[in-house]
Amino acid sequence: MAGYTEDEKYMQRCIDLAIQGKGLVAPNPMVGALLVNNHAIVGEGFHQGFGEAHAEANAINNVTSPDLLKKAVLYVNLEPCSHQGKTPPCANLIISMGIPKIVIGTPDPNKLVDGSGIALLREKGINVVTGILENECKALNKRFFTWHLYNRPYIILKWARSADGFIDFDRPADAPVGPNWITSQTARILVHKWRSEEQAILVGTNTVIKDNPRLNIRDWAGKNPLRVIIDRELKLGSHYNVFDNTQKTLVFTQKEPAGSGPGPREFPEKTVVPETGNTERSYASIVFDDTAELQMLECLYRQNIQSIIIEGGAYTLNRFIEKGLWDEARIFTGPVLFRRGIRSPEITGNSFTTREIGNSQLQVIYNR
C-alpha cells in the first residue's frame, strides 16, 4: 500500500474485511472493523450475515484482553449505528468499552443513523476522525448508498453479444428452447457469482419463452436472488423453470392471477414477497405505461431490495437504458458470428474497464 498513510492502510484493511460479507448481509451494508493498539492490530471482524453481530462487535470480541481497548483506535468503514435494530447499537458498545478514538470511512446515509452515531460518540468525549478513504468506502457499499439516497435498487445491466453485435440470431418457429451461448463456461460461472452478490434478477417474458432460464446460482455457492419476471399478460405457464418453486419469484403484471381476487393498483407498504419460506410466487400489479420501470423499482424499493441485475432481453434492457435507469452495465463480447438477428443494446457511460474472461471480452460501463 505504497503512498497510504497509516489511517488509510488500516481503512483499506476494513474494506478488505467488509467485502467478505458480499451477498450475505443485504439489506445491511458491508462493514469491516479493526482495533489498533501501539501500531499493531489487536482485533478485527466483519459483518458476516444479515441479523448477525455487526463488525464493531466482532472486532471487539476478538481482542484478547479488554485492557487493550482503553488505548486502542477503532477503524470502521461506515459510521457505527446508534439505534436498536436486530442487534444493539454499536455506538453504545464502543462507549461502554472505553475506546478513546475511532476512525470512520464514511457517514451512514440511513435516516436512522445519518450522523447520529458520530454525534453520540463525540458527545461522550471520543475522538472521532472521518473521511478516510471515503470514496472507496462509498464504492464498497454503492448498493446501500443508492437505495438510501435515491430510493431505488442499484441497477446492473448484463448481456452477451456476438463479435458482430447481436445478442441472438433469428430463431425459426421450430427452434429448440434454450439459451444461445455466446460466451464460455468461465464467463457463465462468473455470471452465477454475480447473481449470488445481488438481491434480485430480472428478465422479460420473451427471455423466459426463448431461453427458459433458471436464474439461479447453480455454478456458484451462495444465496439465490429473488427472481423478478415481467409477464404483462400472464402468458407464462408453470412449466417454465422460473416457476419451479426452488426460490422466491415475483411477477410484474397488469392482470390478476386466476383465483387471486381483485388486487390493488397501489403497492402495499409492506413487502409483496413473504419474508419466510423459499417457494413463494408473488404478483405485483402495475400499469404498463411509460412509467412501468419506475413502478417496478418503487415496488422493489419497498421490499428492501437494494440491488438488481437485469439480464434481458433486448427490449427490457433498452427500456431501462432509454430512461437512464441503470448504474452499471456488464457486457460480454464473444467470438461467435451471428451475421443477423437481434441487435445488441447500445450504451455509453463516463468510465469503463475491459478484461478478458475465457474466450470473451468483458466491458464494464458506469452511468455518468
Side-chain angles (χ1 to χ4, degrees), residues 158-172:
K158 173 263 165 184
W159 70 90
R161 62 190 177 194
S162 63
D164 51 354
F166 298 95
I167 65 171
D168 200 359
F169 55 71
D170 290 324
R171 302 196 191 193

Side-chain angles (χ1 to χ4, degrees), residues 32-104:
L34 57 88
L35 287 139
V36 175
N37 184 299
N38 195 25
H39 305 287
I41 296 175
V42 295
E44 61 182 26
F46 65 97
H47 186 32
Q48 299 181 23
F50 178 67
E52 299 180 13
H54 287 187
E56 298 94 324
N58 286 333
I60 290 170
N61 290 334
N62 283 329
V63 175
T64 56
S65 172
D67 291 338
L68 293 173
L69 297 173
K70 307 297 183 181
K71 296 182 180 180
V73 179
L74 173 63
Y75 289 82
V76 61
N77 58 284
L78 191 71
E79 174 184 6
C81 61
S82 55
H83 66 288
Q84 176 70 46
K86 292 183 178 295
T87 61
C90 291
N92 290 0
L93 174 64
I94 294 165
I95 294 166
S96 69
M97 292 291 106
I99 298 170
K101 181 178 179 180
I102 179 169
V103 179
I104 298 170

Side-chain angles (χ1 to χ4, degrees), residues 214-216 224-225 227 244-249 278 280:
R214 293 182 177 89
L215 304 182
N216 61 16
N224 280 316
R227 293 185 292 210
D244 63 6
N245 290 334
T246 60
Q247 65 201 80
K248 293 180 183 178
T249 303
N278 194 46
E280 297 88 351

